[in-house]
Amino acid sequence: MNANSFVSIYDVSKEKIIELLESAKRFEENPNQDLLHGKIVATLFFEPSTRTRLSFETAVNRLGGRVIGFSDASTTSSSKGETLKDTITMVSGYADLIIMRHYLDGAARYASEISSIPIINAGDGSNQHPSQTMLDLYSIFKTQGTLENLNICMVGDLKYGRTVHSLLMALSKFNPTFRFVAPEELKMPLEYKIFCDNNNINYSEHTDLMEVIDEADILYMTRVQRERFIDLMEYEKVKNCYILKNKMLDHTKENLKVLHPLPRVNEIESDVDSNPKAYYFQQARNGVFARQAIICDVLGIK
Amino acid sequence: MNKKELLVAGLQNGTVIDHIPSDQLFKVVSMLKLDTLSNPITIGNNLMSKKSGTKGIIKVTDKYFEKNEIDRVALIAPHAKLNRIANYEVVEKKELELPDELIDIVKCANPKCISNKEPMASRFDVIDKKNIVVKCHYCEKALHKDDIVLL
């Protein structure tokens, strides 16, 4: 077991979050640093993810490290029935760090218990995606100058969207006000509302985005995913309910930024892209710096 | 001398589990695999209880259960009383209590959890002892009392 792994955002303290954000900021100012010289990083993607993998590999390359790994488990021995334990044990003999994405919930935690080298969770099923949360936090921190006392409006699929759940838990340390905007079928699960109640966090639920958009500092849009619906009739009913149009931003706050974990389908119309309040592409770019910070942290560099 | 003391006193060496809710008695019997033991066993059920209606009791001669076995019983009969008897004396008497962590006892209800796919022990954190809520250490999903399935 390696104690330095980065597996779940729930393990990360407020102090550590701030430390990582400061570190990400330094990487943004100076992205090419030879801190991983001579190090080998294994990117094990048992489930494909273009953006996350490229972002991590960019981070490693900018730090002067080398990458081994795979981007599709069908070409590896796990498709022959090798256990995750065996794969991780083997790779931890080759590399200095493992960055893994897996289709099963909890895979990264389990890997961190087996591995002798640190594990960074790049997504475990529908459970956690903590580096996404760090880049979301960095994007908020960078555009608002703080994480404290912000009005965060979360829109779309709040039931299954793991990014909103992780972001909610992380931001809860910074006295936020949450506005949850979702169709009835995709409302924020009860456990997160109980969590807010227990921690005196101000929140309210809405079905109409226009009710709360003008007071928001951050508008966090998510995709209503077709594959989440058992009943496709339900999907057809709600899929167009939460589409952001440029005009809807007319009376919003000056400092508002629109975030989206991407990929977007149609939930943000393309005319929003040129609005200075649109921030989702810069947000994706911030992922490289946030991940540089995480990588150096787990390896104990600087 | 009341009935309970009589039952306990009747054992020279072994274990008495008392105050098991009547509807859980036979689950506890099967959980402890008492059907595979050849030791003398006394099982009583639907006995009068001062605390709560009726209760069940199990008395096993020359048998002391492991912590892991007792932790399983605590999940379905959290207020049962465990007495360890040695040479007619009660050497340990305690109310069952859930531990903070359950290892290889509960099956994760999430079919996509790694613990259901790999040859590994399940691991749960007990997050609410009173209402019996446990959370999978791996997939982080919570399970409430009625949804708990044992391995």
Side-chain angles (χ1 to χ4, degrees), chain A residues 7 29 85 209 272:
Chain A
V7 169
E29 286 157 10
K85 182 179 181 180
L209 175 56
V272 179

mmCIF file of all heavy atoms in Angstrom, chain A residues 7 29 85 209 272:
data_model
loop_
_atom_site.group_PDB
_atom_site.id
_atom_site.type_symbol
_atom_site.label_atom_id
_atom_site.label_comp_id
_atom_site.label_asym_id
_atom_site.label_seq_id
_atom_site.Cartn_x
_atom_site.Cartn_y
_atom_site.Cartn_z
ATOM 1 N N VAL A 7 -6.794 9.220 -4.564
ATOM 2 C CA VAL A 7 -7.845 8.292 -4.955
ATOM 3 C C VAL A 7 -9.235 8.916 -4.911
ATOM 4 O O VAL A 7 -10.051 8.726 -5.805
ATOM 5 C CB VAL A 7 -7.809 7.033 -4.048
ATOM 6 C CG1 VAL A 7 -9.042 6.173 -4.248
ATOM 7 C CG2 VAL A 7 -6.559 6.222 -4.339
ATOM 8 N N GLU A 29 2.079 29.333 -14.696
ATOM 9 C CA GLU A 29 3.046 30.393 -15.006
ATOM 10 C C GLU A 29 4.293 29.832 -15.691
ATOM 11 O O GLU A 29 4.929 30.499 -16.494
ATOM 12 C CB GLU A 29 3.451 31.103 -13.702
ATOM 13 C CG GLU A 29 2.357 32.013 -13.150
ATOM 14 C CD GLU A 29 2.476 32.270 -11.644
ATOM 15 O OE1 GLU A 29 3.505 31.898 -11.031
ATOM 16 O OE2 GLU A 29 1.520 32.831 -11.093
ATOM 17 N N LYS A 85 -5.345 -6.947 -9.604
ATOM 18 C CA LYS A 85 -4.242 -7.079 -8.653
ATOM 19 C C LYS A 85 -2.939 -7.446 -9.374
ATOM 20 O O LYS A 85 -1.900 -6.841 -9.132
ATOM 21 C CB LYS A 85 -4.597 -8.150 -7.618
ATOM 22 C CG LYS A 85 -3.544 -8.329 -6.560
ATOM 23 C CD LYS A 85 -3.939 -9.376 -5.546
ATOM 24 C CE LYS A 85 -2.842 -9.503 -4.494
ATOM 25 N NZ LYS A 85 -3.159 -10.491 -3.480
ATOM 26 N N LEU A 209 -33.912 27.351 -14.492
ATOM 27 C CA LEU A 209 -32.597 27.976 -14.374
ATOM 28 C C LEU A 209 -32.697 29.497 -14.237
ATOM 29 O O LEU A 209 -31.907 30.119 -13.515
ATOM 30 C CB LEU A 209 -31.753 27.592 -15.607
ATOM 31 C CG LEU A 209 -30.373 28.233 -15.764
ATOM 32 C CD1 LEU A 209 -29.497 27.973 -14.542
ATOM 33 C CD2 LEU A 209 -29.680 27.688 -17.008
ATOM 34 N N VAL A 272 -22.831 30.733 -27.176
ATOM 35 C CA VAL A 272 -22.298 31.103 -25.859
ATOM 36 C C VAL A 272 -20.765 31.106 -25.889
ATOM 37 O O VAL A 272 -20.119 31.850 -25.159
ATOM 38 C CB VAL A 272 -22.810 30.116 -24.768
ATOM 39 C CG1 VAL A 272 -22.252 30.477 -23.387
ATOM 40 C CG2 VAL A 272 -24.328 30.092 -24.727
#
